[in-house]
Amino acid sequence: MRLPSPALFASVLFGLAIAGFFGVVLTQWRATNRLAATPPPERKISPPPAIAYTPTEIGAPVGTTGRPWVTNLRLVDLDQDGLLDVIYCEGQANTVRWIRQSPRGQFTEKIIGENTPGPASVWASDVNGSGRLDVLVGCMGQIMPNNDRIGSVIVLENLDNQNFRRHVLVEGIARVSDVRGANLAGHTDGRLDLAVGQFGYDQGETRWMENKGDWQFESHVVNSQSGCVHTPVADYDGDGRMDFAALISQEWEEVHLFLNRGEGRFEESIVWGSTNEDYGSSGLEAIDLNQDGKPDLLYTNGDGFDYSVRGPRPWHGLQWLENLGGGRFAFHRVGDMPGAYGPAAADLNGDRHLDLVTVSGFNDWADPDAISLVVWLNDGRMNFTPVVIAKTPNQLITSAAGDLDGNGVPVIVTGGFHAFPPYENMSNITLWRKR
């Protein structure tokens, strides 16, 4: 048999290679165009979790004191009868009020603090170890901005779970925005000291007041910056001593931590701060959000008191400062919310994970879609889905959540602050029940 010449053999091989190459290219082109012609699978967007609430007004009706100025509220069993009550500050009437629940589901309001100048915060603690809960009040002297030293700290001593005696512990200081009770000095007889935030205006302070007994207190100033909003107390570093944090607003926009080193010494650090001098810090509360045994911090920014045109800003919202231990915290943005105030936490949907609550004090209230109450549902992996609960009433700056009904299902309580127009869709104290 005659073999082909080398030249012919090479020509055949080259032709086969070219055919193979174009075959591969053709196959890839067909595959690419076939994929391009096939529409992608439809993406299914899950609807927001279903949760809804029905509002009920409790306590004094709107109009009793003019337009309501509820500056702060707390849920506490003040008379220790096993039923949660509501205590709150009315900033326009200059009063502290107790909405007592007795019997279950029936609420009766009484004034327990008259002539309380500019009450901005309320807290309940057994200050002198009597076994009864006293009411601590931080007084600004005047709620609206003022740099005069007109602040005071007042304690309403609980005499018999019905009557209260007024003690002015300190006055003539920068406007007081918050007071919390805690054993900061290591007392062994039940006495509690006070962590005090003083917003002031251009000048303010943060101090702790050492309980010397017989309603005598010694003040220790630990920070001289203006704009302190809240001073939540907890054992943040797990050493068995009570510490406190401070939210410093104005141009500072920082969260400070004061770790208790014993013998009246506190070590200050800044655990987070914004570079935005208009961040609008508005609320700080201690809660173990991820339930790891270390108290975290819930932090809202949505303040609008100083705006010439009051309303929301795009950076307003809710954040979680996760306690990593040793005085270290990690910042997590939970989500945006115009005019965010009043952070609170509770297991709202019964899945054993703590959910969050925020209200809006400053929004575009001319817009019928402006939101006033939002819950943030926790999926158990610290992802939060916002669910709008209400658009009215509006102008809410304080909220709390707890089991007022005794059925294991938390309710939400909000307070309306109507110092600015529009003067509509107003509320005083509203109880929101899950439906």
Side-chain angles (χ1 to χ4, degrees):
M1 183 176 65
R2 186 177 179 183
L3 295 175
S5 68
L8 179 60
F9 185 77
S11 177
V12 171
L13 288 177
F14 178 77
L16 289 173
I18 292 295
F21 170 79
F22 281 104
V24 170
V25 170
L26 181 61
T27 300
Q28 290 179 340
W29 181 87
R30 287 172 174 167
T32 300
N33 281 271
R34 186 164 58 246
L35 288 172
T38 304
E42 182 179 355
R43 183 186 176 191
K44 295 182 179 180
I45 302 176
S46 300
I51 190 169
Y53 287 81
T54 300
T56 302
E57 295 292 321
I58 61 173
V62 171
T64 302
T65 60
R67 292 188 290 267
W69 284 22
V70 180
T71 55
N72 190 230
L73 64 83
R74 300 288 171 185
L75 306 185
V76 60
D77 182 3
L78 188 58
D79 55 1
Q80 300 180 75
D81 64 351
L83 305 176
L84 276 179
D85 312 307
V86 181
I87 54 175
Y88 75 97
C89 297
E90 218 304 327
Q92 182 155 250
N94 291 322
T95 52
V96 178
R97 296 166 179 249
W98 174 21
I99 303 178
R100 185 188 181 205
Q101 181 177 196
S102 181
R104 175 81 68 189
Q106 294 187 22
F107 298 91
T108 305
E109 179 171 310
K110 67 180 291 186
I111 297 174
I112 59 175
E114 295 269 16
N115 301 316
T116 309
S121 74
V122 64
W123 191 261
S125 293
D126 180 5
V127 175
N128 263 12
S130 68
R132 294 180 295 272
L133 293 175
D134 309 304
V135 178
L136 287 55
V137 189
C139 298
M140 284 188 153
Q142 176 181 310
I143 297 299
M144 290 301 145
N146 191 307
N147 200 47
D148 294 340
R149 298 182 72 81
I150 54 177
S152 59
V153 173
I154 293 175
V155 173
L156 304 174
E157 179 189 4
N158 188 342
L159 301 178
D160 56 6
N161 287 326
Q162 289 290 330
N163 301 290
F164 297 81
R165 178 189 293 139
R166 172 193 180 102
H167 297 271
V168 180
L169 304 186
V170 63
E171 58 186 338
I173 60 175
R175 295 158 67 233
V176 178
S177 50
D178 200 15
V179 183
R180 314 275 178 120
N183 186 358
L184 300 172
H187 303 293
T188 58
D189 59 0
R191 281 179 289 156
L192 295 183
D193 311 298
L194 308 176
V196 179
Q198 298 170 237
F199 191 94
Y201 193 65
D202 291 326
Q203 292 146 356
E205 293 168 331
T206 304
R207 72 176 67 198
W208 72 281
M209 298 177 63
E210 185 177 356
N211 190 341
K212 295 294 189 178
D214 195 28
W215 297 104
Q216 301 300 308
F217 287 77
E218 180 182 346
S219 285
H220 307 273
V221 174
V222 293
N223 181 282
S224 297
Q225 291 172 282
S226 61
C228 185
V229 178
H230 288 147
T231 53
V233 294
D235 181 6
Y236 291 105
D237 59 357
D239 66 354
R241 291 186 290 260
M242 293 299 290
D243 316 300
F244 62 99
L247 177 58
I248 311 292
S249 62
Q250 296 293 70
E251 71 267 33
W252 318 106
E253 305 297 345
E254 298 167 344
V255 178
H256 291 235
L257 185 65
F258 298 91
L259 291 180
N260 190 340
R261 297 311 188 195
E263 300 180 343
R265 295 180 297 108
F266 287 85
E267 180 182 298
E268 181 180 7
S269 63
I270 299 175
V271 298
W272 188 82
S274 174
T275 57
N276 180 358
E277 294 183 0
D278 193 29
Y279 200 61
S281 295
S282 58
L284 189 72
E285 296 295 338
I287 183 72
D288 183 5
L289 185 57
N290 57 1
Q291 302 181 73
D292 66 351
K294 298 188 293 291
D296 308 306
L297 291 165
L298 301 181
Y299 171 28
T300 52
N301 64 304
D303 178 46
F305 272 91
D306 287 342
Y307 298 154
S308 57
V309 178
R310 294 180 178 88
R313 296 295 185 268
W315 49 82
H316 286 172
L318 171 65
Q319 33 268 315
W320 160 46
L321 298 181
E322 180 187 4
N323 190 341
L324 304 178
R328 297 176 300 112
F329 288 76
F331 178 92
H332 304 275
R333 179 74 167 187
V334 174
D336 299 341
M337 180 178 176
Y341 266 82
D347 179 7
L348 299 175
N349 56 2
D351 63 359
R352 300 184 180 180
H353 307 302
L354 289 178
D355 309 298
L356 303 176
V357 178
T358 49
V359 291
S360 179
F362 296 90
N363 208 332
D364 180 7
W365 302 120
D367 182 354
D369 290 325
I371 59 177
S372 59
L373 174 60
V374 172
V375 300
W376 306 77
L377 297 182
N378 184 351
D379 68 357
R381 297 181 296 275
M382 307 309 293
N383 301 306
F384 295 89
T385 300
V387 180
V388 175
I389 299 301
K391 299 175 182 177
T392 59
N394 58 30
Q395 300 191 76
L396 310 175
I397 67 170
T398 180
S399 73
D403 184 9
L404 265 72
D405 293 337
N407 58 4
V409 179
V411 303
I412 299 170
V413 181
T414 60
F417 183 82
H418 301 279
F420 310 107
Y423 301 122
E424 55 191 31
N425 296 319
M426 294 191 295
S427 67
N428 190 42
I429 302 296
T430 305
L431 187 156
W432 303 80
R433 285 190 173 96
K434 185 180 174 184
R435 65 173 189 258

